[in-house]
Amino acid sequence: MEPRLIARELPTGLMLVHGNQPERMRDLIVNWIGQNPVAPLEKEMFLVQSNGIAQWLKLAFAADPEEGGCGIAAAFEMSLP
């Protein structure tokens, strides 16, 4: 019998994360997304300050799970203010 992922019901809305240590914020976001994946065909939206930060986050998500990433970076929408 194959293990099945059971999605937890989280309320929709806005989550703000702010701080002055971008590496720790990145780790928090990658960990959160890894534990609370969105449903198929849904997108996760991020508001980032630059295209460089957007690329940096995408690379963090795509990193190997053993290195602290999710192993894939898909269905993310990175928006600028």
Side-chain angles (χ1 to χ4, degrees), residues 32-44:
W32 174 264
I33 295 298
Q35 291 179 5
N36 302 290
V38 295
L41 304 178
E42 286 186 7
K43 287 191 234 179
E44 196 74 59

Side-chain angles (χ1 to χ4, degrees), residues 13-52:
L14 175 69
M15 181 172 70
L16 297 175
V17 179
H18 60 88
N20 61 359
Q21 296 179 334
E23 291 83 10
R24 293 193 63 195
M25 290 181 6
R26 176 201 59 205
D27 295 343
L28 172 71
I29 293 169
V30 170
N31 189 12
W32 174 264
I33 295 298
Q35 291 179 5
N36 302 290
V38 295
L41 304 178
E42 286 186 7
K43 287 191 234 179
E44 196 74 59
M45 180 180 280
F46 295 94
L47 182 65
V48 295
Q49 66 185 21
S50 69
N51 288 328

Side-chain angles (χ1 to χ4, degrees), residues 60-72:
F61 285 119
D64 193 299
E66 293 177 2
E67 297 172 7
C70 294
I72 190 167

